[in-house]
Amino acid sequence: HLPQLVRGTQPLPQRRPARRRVAHGGPEPRGGRPRVPSRRCADAIFYVLRTGCQWKALDQTDLCPGSTAHDRYQEWVEADVFLKLWQKGVAQFDELIGIDWAWLSMDGAITKAPLGGEDTGPNPTDRAKSGVKRSVLTEGQGVPIGLAVDGANRHDMKLVRDTIEHIVMERPEPTDEKPQGMCLDKGYDYQEVLDTLAEFGFTAHIRSRGEEAKELKREAGKRARRWVVERTHSWLNRFRRILIRWEKKPENYIAFLH
């Protein structure tokens, strides 16, 4: 079995190599190369995530061969390893500090996707070039707890339901004493969004068009509560494999986001 990457998660199933037939009376076949340790593969995957380099560029490093890292990445994507890492991290944050359910924030961001693929579309802000939109939901301190991906031409408001349904931890029931506010910008100022938030029990906080601009003029330096999700998007874009999507398969791109 592969070593446990996250304490408390189940070990991943290992693919067994096909057995080679041995001719009667012939010598026993020698074993192949030893399996590259998971720690080295993980380091290589994080290197690709941070730098945005091609997998084959790993051949020029002392981490591990690019083909090995890519094969292990596909294996872990299939086993939801990166989703489990995210879930485990959020759970540990909740134990140590506590998830702030009182003030949630959601926002979308568009990045390039030169190779196209599923869940990409023409970017309306980049001469209709291929792009991808990610919708992120954060708790009150900016920790991401929900994620959805679609084409760059998909409106933010159309991703609200999908983002909420992909919250990675159990959500407490909102009450009158402890409501759960959802902070959104004016791009979400539609009745469809209000109805969706009400269906899930959220209290909508959406500034109407022009209202926020007037308040910012009155109070210089004031920041909206949803600035934490904008900061999270900025942090994500520091990872070049996220800043530019090179994965045609959406599950491979989403795994990097996890």
Side-chain angles (χ1 to χ4, degrees), residues 36-187:
V36 177
S38 294
R39 178 71 262 179
R40 288 182 58 193
C41 290
D43 289 342
I45 291 169
F46 292 142
Y47 182 83
V48 170
L49 170 64
R50 190 69 174 89
T51 65
C53 70
Q54 297 179 351
W55 290 103
K56 62 182 180 181
L58 291 172
D59 295 341
Q60 306 303 317
T61 71
D62 57 358
L63 295 171
C64 76
S67 59
T68 301
H70 183 261
D71 289 345
R72 196 72 60 88
Y73 180 72
Q74 294 294 144
E75 185 178 339
W76 291 349
V77 169
E78 184 178 344
D80 288 332
V81 169
F82 301 102
L83 175 59
K84 293 173 184 176
L85 281 170
W86 182 19
Q87 292 172 329
K88 189 68 175 178
V90 171
Q92 289 182 347
F93 178 85
D94 191 29
E95 292 175 4
L96 295 174
I97 299 178
I99 296 294
D100 182 2
W101 292 99
W103 293 102
L104 307 179
S105 299
M106 185 188 302
D107 199 10
I110 297 176
T111 57
K112 297 180 179 180
L115 301 183
E118 189 178 347
D119 289 339
T120 63
N123 185 349
T125 65
D126 191 19
R127 295 172 292 173
K129 293 181 180 179
S130 180
V132 61
K133 173 169 288 186
R134 65 171 184 264
S135 176
V136 173
L137 173 64
T138 66
E139 52 86 59
Q141 298 161 94
V143 174
I145 59 174
L147 172 70
V149 169
D150 210 326
N153 57 326
R154 188 74 165 171
H155 199 286
D156 288 345
M157 61 172 287
K158 296 296 184 180
L159 294 176
V160 172
R161 178 180 296 276
D162 197 20
T163 307
I164 293 174
E165 289 178 346
H166 283 85
I167 293 177
V168 295
M169 66 179 303
E170 186 176 355
R171 175 187 163 214
E173 193 72 24
T175 63
D176 293 338
E177 293 75 21
K178 293 184 177 181
Q180 296 179 11
M182 181 72 75
C183 301
L184 303 165
D185 63 24
K186 62 182 181 181

Side-chain angles (χ1 to χ4, degrees), residues 29 125 190 216 229:
T125 65
Y190 294 91
L216 291 176
V229 69

